[in-house]
Amino acid sequence: MLYFFNLFNCKQVKFELAKIEGEQIQITDTLIASSEIEAFIKPYRNHIQKDLDSVLAYSANTYSKNDGALNTALGNFMADAIYSEANPIFKKRTGKNIDMVLLNHGGIRSILSKGNVTKRTAYQLMPFENSIVVVALKKNQIDSLINYLIRKKRPHPISKLKLTINGNDKIIDVKIKDKNIKSDKIYYVVTNDYLYNGGDNMTFFKTNDSLYVLNYKIRNALIDNFKKIDTIKPVIDNRFIQIK
Protein backbone atom coordinates (compact mmCIF):
# COMPACT_ATOMS: atom_id res chain seq x y z
CA MET A 1 0.00 0.00 0.00
CA LEU A 2 1.38 3.42 -0.98
CA TYR A 3 0.72 6.81 0.57
CA PHE A 4 1.10 10.23 -1.07
CA PHE A 5 1.25 13.44 0.93
CA ASN A 6 0.00 16.65 -0.63
CA LEU A 7 2.36 19.34 0.62
CA PHE A 8 -0.09 22.15 -0.13
CA ASN A 9 -3.11 20.99 1.83
CA CYS A 10 -1.44 18.32 4.03
CA LYS A 11 -3.97 15.74 2.98
CA GLN A 12 -2.95 12.10 2.87
CA VAL A 13 -3.98 10.28 -0.29
CA LYS A 14 -4.02 6.48 -0.15
CA PHE A 15 -3.24 4.29 -3.18
CA GLU A 16 -3.87 0.55 -3.37
CA LEU A 17 -2.34 -1.90 -5.80
CA ALA A 18 -5.11 -3.10 -8.07
CA LYS A 19 -3.41 -5.45 -10.51
CA ILE A 20 -0.04 -6.86 -11.55
CA GLU A 21 0.43 -7.96 -15.12
CA GLY A 22 3.29 -9.82 -16.75
CA GLU A 23 4.16 -11.77 -19.84
CA GLN A 24 6.55 -14.57 -20.66
CA ILE A 25 9.26 -13.72 -23.15
CA GLN A 26 10.80 -16.75 -24.85
CA ILE A 27 14.55 -16.53 -25.34
CA THR A 28 15.02 -17.78 -28.89
CA ASP A 29 17.00 -16.94 -32.02
CA THR A 30 14.23 -14.54 -33.03
CA LEU A 31 15.28 -12.03 -30.38
CA ILE A 32 17.30 -9.19 -31.83
CA ALA A 33 20.68 -8.77 -30.16
CA SER A 34 21.63 -5.36 -28.84
CA SER A 35 24.83 -4.21 -30.50
CA GLU A 36 25.64 -1.95 -27.54
CA ILE A 37 25.31 -4.77 -25.03
CA GLU A 38 27.28 -7.15 -27.26
CA ALA A 39 30.09 -4.62 -27.59
CA PHE A 40 30.15 -4.11 -23.83
CA ILE A 41 30.35 -7.79 -22.87
CA LYS A 42 32.63 -8.94 -25.72
CA PRO A 43 35.98 -8.34 -23.93
CA TYR A 44 34.71 -10.07 -20.79
CA ARG A 45 33.38 -13.02 -22.79
CA ASN A 46 36.66 -13.36 -24.67
CA HIS A 47 38.62 -13.32 -21.43
CA ILE A 48 36.42 -16.01 -19.86
CA GLN A 49 36.53 -18.20 -22.98
CA LYS A 50 40.32 -17.94 -23.14
CA ASP A 51 40.62 -18.87 -19.47
CA LEU A 52 38.21 -21.82 -19.79
CA ASP A 53 40.01 -23.19 -22.84
CA SER A 54 43.55 -22.97 -21.49
CA VAL A 55 45.10 -26.46 -21.62
CA LEU A 56 45.94 -27.97 -18.22
CA ALA A 57 46.52 -31.67 -18.99
CA TYR A 58 45.93 -34.41 -21.56
CA SER A 59 43.50 -37.34 -21.39
CA ALA A 60 44.96 -40.54 -22.86
CA ASN A 61 41.52 -41.91 -23.77
CA THR A 62 37.83 -41.15 -23.51
CA TYR A 63 36.39 -42.15 -20.14
CA SER A 64 32.75 -42.53 -19.12
CA LYS A 65 31.05 -42.92 -15.76
CA ASN A 66 29.31 -45.98 -17.24
CA ASP A 67 32.39 -47.97 -18.28
CA GLY A 68 32.34 -50.28 -15.26
CA ALA A 69 29.87 -52.14 -13.07
CA LEU A 70 31.00 -51.24 -9.53
CA ASN A 71 33.86 -48.85 -10.21
CA THR A 72 34.82 -46.82 -13.26
CA ALA A 73 38.05 -45.30 -14.48
CA LEU A 74 36.52 -41.82 -14.49
CA GLY A 75 34.97 -42.19 -11.05
CA ASN A 76 38.23 -43.57 -9.67
CA PHE A 77 40.15 -40.64 -11.11
CA MET A 78 37.78 -38.09 -9.61
CA ALA A 79 37.72 -39.69 -6.16
CA ASP A 80 41.51 -40.02 -6.10
CA ALA A 81 41.90 -36.41 -7.28
CA ILE A 82 39.64 -35.14 -4.50
CA TYR A 83 41.63 -37.10 -1.92
CA SER A 84 44.90 -35.77 -3.29
CA GLU A 85 43.78 -32.13 -3.19
CA ALA A 86 41.69 -32.17 0.00
CA ASN A 87 43.95 -34.16 2.31
CA PRO A 88 46.76 -31.57 2.62
CA ILE A 89 44.19 -28.87 3.45
CA PHE A 90 42.47 -31.05 6.07
CA LYS A 91 45.78 -32.14 7.60
CA LYS A 92 47.03 -28.55 7.85
CA ARG A 93 43.86 -27.48 9.66
CA THR A 94 43.35 -30.48 11.92
CA GLY A 95 46.61 -32.44 12.04
CA LYS A 96 44.63 -35.48 10.84
CA ASN A 97 44.52 -37.39 7.55
CA ILE A 98 41.46 -38.17 5.49
CA ASP A 99 40.65 -41.89 5.55
CA MET A 100 38.48 -42.28 2.46
CA VAL A 101 36.39 -40.54 -0.18
CA LEU A 102 32.81 -41.17 -1.30
CA LEU A 103 31.19 -39.14 -4.07
CA ASN A 104 28.05 -39.85 -6.10
CA HIS A 105 27.84 -41.47 -9.51
CA GLY A 106 25.08 -39.09 -10.63
CA GLY A 107 27.24 -36.08 -9.89
CA ILE A 108 29.48 -36.83 -12.88
CA ARG A 109 27.74 -35.01 -15.70
CA SER A 110 29.85 -35.72 -18.78
CA ILE A 111 32.50 -37.94 -20.27
CA LEU A 112 36.19 -37.09 -20.10
CA SER A 113 37.13 -36.92 -23.77
CA LYS A 114 40.46 -37.96 -25.20
CA GLY A 115 42.69 -34.99 -25.83
CA ASN A 116 43.34 -31.68 -24.15
CA VAL A 117 41.89 -31.15 -20.68
CA THR A 118 40.93 -27.60 -19.71
CA LYS A 119 39.05 -25.69 -17.05
CA ARG A 120 36.00 -26.10 -19.25
CA THR A 121 36.41 -29.87 -18.85
CA ALA A 122 36.03 -29.48 -15.09
CA TYR A 123 32.87 -27.42 -15.52
CA GLN A 124 31.45 -30.08 -17.84
CA LEU A 125 32.26 -32.90 -15.43
CA MET A 126 31.00 -30.98 -12.39
CA PRO A 127 28.63 -28.13 -13.33
CA PHE A 128 27.16 -28.03 -9.83
CA GLU A 129 28.46 -25.83 -7.02
CA ASN A 130 29.05 -28.80 -4.71
CA SER A 131 31.69 -28.23 -2.05
CA ILE A 132 33.99 -30.64 -0.24
CA VAL A 133 33.21 -31.53 3.35
CA VAL A 134 34.86 -34.01 5.70
CA VAL A 135 32.64 -36.01 8.03
CA ALA A 136 33.81 -37.91 11.12
CA LEU A 137 32.14 -41.33 11.17
CA LYS A 138 32.17 -44.19 13.67
CA LYS A 139 32.27 -47.86 12.74
CA ASN A 140 28.50 -48.31 12.73
CA GLN A 141 28.17 -45.45 10.26
CA ILE A 142 30.95 -46.86 8.12
CA ASP A 143 29.06 -50.16 8.17
CA SER A 144 25.95 -48.33 6.95
CA LEU A 145 28.00 -46.70 4.20
CA ILE A 146 29.36 -50.06 3.05
CA ASN A 147 25.92 -51.69 3.16
CA TYR A 148 24.58 -48.81 1.09
CA LEU A 149 27.20 -49.40 -1.61
CA ILE A 150 26.43 -53.12 -1.67
CA ARG A 151 22.69 -52.56 -1.79
CA LYS A 152 22.77 -49.91 -4.52
CA LYS A 153 25.48 -51.54 -6.67
CA ARG A 154 26.25 -48.32 -8.50
CA PRO A 155 29.79 -47.22 -9.28
CA HIS A 156 29.80 -44.33 -6.82
CA PRO A 157 33.34 -42.90 -6.90
CA ILE A 158 35.37 -44.06 -3.88
CA SER A 159 38.99 -43.74 -2.86
CA LYS A 160 41.01 -45.52 -0.14
CA LEU A 161 38.12 -47.95 0.46
CA LYS A 162 38.47 -51.49 -0.88
CA LEU A 163 35.38 -53.69 -0.92
CA THR A 164 34.99 -57.24 -2.25
CA ILE A 165 31.68 -59.11 -2.18
CA ASN A 166 30.58 -62.55 -3.37
CA GLY A 167 27.74 -63.56 -5.67
CA ASN A 168 25.27 -63.37 -2.77
CA ASP A 169 26.32 -59.81 -1.91
CA LYS A 170 28.13 -60.95 1.23
CA ILE A 171 31.32 -59.19 2.19
CA ILE A 172 34.49 -61.15 1.47
CA ASP A 173 36.86 -58.37 2.39
CA VAL A 174 36.64 -54.70 3.28
CA LYS A 175 39.47 -52.36 4.19
CA ILE A 176 40.16 -48.65 4.50
CA LYS A 177 43.68 -47.69 3.54
CA ASP A 178 44.50 -51.43 3.41
CA LYS A 179 43.60 -51.91 7.08
CA ASN A 180 40.68 -53.65 8.76
CA ILE A 181 37.96 -51.37 10.06
CA LYS A 182 38.31 -50.82 13.81
CA SER A 183 35.43 -50.38 16.22
CA ASP A 184 37.20 -47.72 18.28
CA LYS A 185 38.45 -45.55 15.43
CA ILE A 186 36.95 -42.35 14.03
CA TYR A 187 37.11 -42.27 10.25
CA TYR A 188 37.34 -38.98 8.36
CA VAL A 189 35.38 -39.32 5.15
CA VAL A 190 35.40 -36.82 2.30
CA THR A 191 32.12 -36.25 0.51
CA ASN A 192 30.23 -33.30 -0.91
CA ASP A 193 27.67 -31.07 0.78
CA TYR A 194 24.83 -32.53 -1.32
CA LEU A 195 25.46 -36.05 -0.01
CA TYR A 196 26.08 -34.83 3.52
CA ASN A 197 22.59 -33.33 3.48
CA GLY A 198 21.05 -36.67 2.52
CA GLY A 199 21.34 -36.60 -1.26
CA ASP A 200 20.99 -39.99 -2.98
CA ASN A 201 19.56 -41.25 0.34
CA MET A 202 23.00 -41.32 1.98
CA THR A 203 21.48 -40.69 5.39
CA PHE A 204 24.43 -42.20 7.28
CA PHE A 205 26.38 -38.93 6.96
CA LYS A 206 24.01 -36.92 9.13
CA THR A 207 24.56 -38.77 12.41
CA ASN A 208 28.20 -37.75 12.71
CA ASP A 209 30.53 -36.58 15.43
CA SER A 210 32.02 -33.67 13.52
CA LEU A 211 31.70 -31.84 10.21
CA TYR A 212 34.60 -29.98 8.61
CA VAL A 213 33.78 -27.54 5.81
CA LEU A 214 36.83 -26.94 3.63
CA ASN A 215 35.31 -24.10 1.56
CA TYR A 216 36.66 -25.87 -1.50
CA LYS A 217 34.48 -26.80 -4.47
CA ILE A 218 34.73 -30.23 -6.10
CA ARG A 219 35.24 -28.53 -9.46
CA ASN A 220 38.11 -26.37 -8.18
CA ALA A 221 39.83 -29.43 -6.72
CA LEU A 222 39.62 -31.09 -10.15
CA ILE A 223 41.13 -28.01 -11.80
CA ASP A 224 43.95 -27.94 -9.26
CA ASN A 225 44.60 -31.62 -9.90
CA PHE A 226 44.60 -31.14 -13.69
CA LYS A 227 47.35 -28.56 -13.26
CA LYS A 228 49.61 -31.05 -11.46
CA ILE A 229 49.48 -33.94 -13.90
CA ASP A 230 50.59 -34.24 -17.49
CA THR A 231 48.56 -37.21 -18.73
CA ILE A 232 45.33 -38.59 -17.28
CA LYS A 233 45.02 -42.35 -17.73
CA PRO A 234 42.89 -43.88 -14.95
CA VAL A 235 41.82 -47.53 -14.88
CA ILE A 236 39.03 -49.70 -13.56
CA ASP A 237 40.57 -51.55 -10.63
CA ASN A 238 39.60 -53.76 -7.68
CA ARG A 239 38.50 -51.11 -5.19
CA PHE A 240 34.91 -52.38 -5.41
CA ILE A 241 34.37 -55.76 -7.10
CA GLN A 242 32.02 -58.73 -6.94
CA ILE A 243 33.38 -62.26 -7.25
CA LYS A 244 30.78 -64.67 -8.64
Side-chain angles (χ1 to χ4, degrees), residues 77-128:
F77 165 74
M78 291 181 65
D80 290 346
I82 298 307
Y83 178 87
S84 177
E85 301 306 318
N87 192 57
I89 298 173
F90 184 67
K91 187 173 178 62
K92 183 177 181 180
R93 294 183 187 179
T94 67
K96 305 176 188 298
N97 285 305
I98 292 167
D99 292 293
M100 61 163 286
V101 177
L102 171 59
L103 304 175
N104 56 316
H105 179 259
I108 306 173
R109 305 304 287 185
S110 76
I111 62 173
L112 176 60
S113 298
K114 180 178 180 179
N116 290 336
V117 174
T118 65
K119 283 187 179 181
R120 189 185 299 277
T121 306
Y123 276 85
Q124 291 168 342
L125 286 170
M126 181 56 61
F128 309 115

Side-chain angles (χ1 to χ4, degrees), residues 94-174:
T94 67
K96 305 176 188 298
N97 285 305
I98 292 167
D99 292 293
M100 61 163 286
V101 177
L102 171 59
L103 304 175
N104 56 316
H105 179 259
I108 306 173
R109 305 304 287 185
S110 76
I111 62 173
L112 176 60
S113 298
K114 180 178 180 179
N116 290 336
V117 174
T118 65
K119 283 187 179 181
R120 189 185 299 277
T121 306
Y123 276 85
Q124 291 168 342
L125 286 170
M126 181 56 61
F128 309 115
E129 297 298 307
N130 293 140
S131 294
I132 297 171
V133 298
V134 182
V135 190
L137 299 183
K138 295 180 179 179
K139 183 181 182 300
N140 64 314
Q141 295 160 303
I142 292 293
D143 289 341
S144 296
L145 183 158
I146 292 167
N147 289 333
Y148 174 93
L149 292 175
I150 296 172
R151 186 172 68 255
K152 295 296 183 180
K153 284 190 178 178
R154 295 191 75 193
H156 292 296
I158 58 175
S159 182
K160 307 304 178 185
L161 170 67
K162 186 176 180 181
L163 175 60
T164 304
I165 58 176
N166 65 17
N168 296 318
D169 295 344
K170 301 299 181 183
I171 296 173
I172 297 176
D173 188 41
V174 59

Side-chain angles (χ1 to χ4, degrees), residues 180-199:
N180 293 327
I181 298 171
K182 298 180 180 179
S183 59
D184 59 346
K185 178 177 170 58
I186 298 296
Y187 290 90
Y188 296 97
V189 181
V190 163
T191 189
N192 61 53
D193 51 353
Y194 166 73
L195 297 181
Y196 170 74
N197 287 308

Side-chain angles (χ1 to χ4, degrees), residues 2-15:
L2 301 176
Y3 293 90
F4 174 76
F5 293 90
N6 189 320
L7 299 179
F8 296 100
N9 56 24
C10 296
K11 290 183 178 180
Q12 179 178 306
V13 181
K14 183 171 66 174
F15 295 89

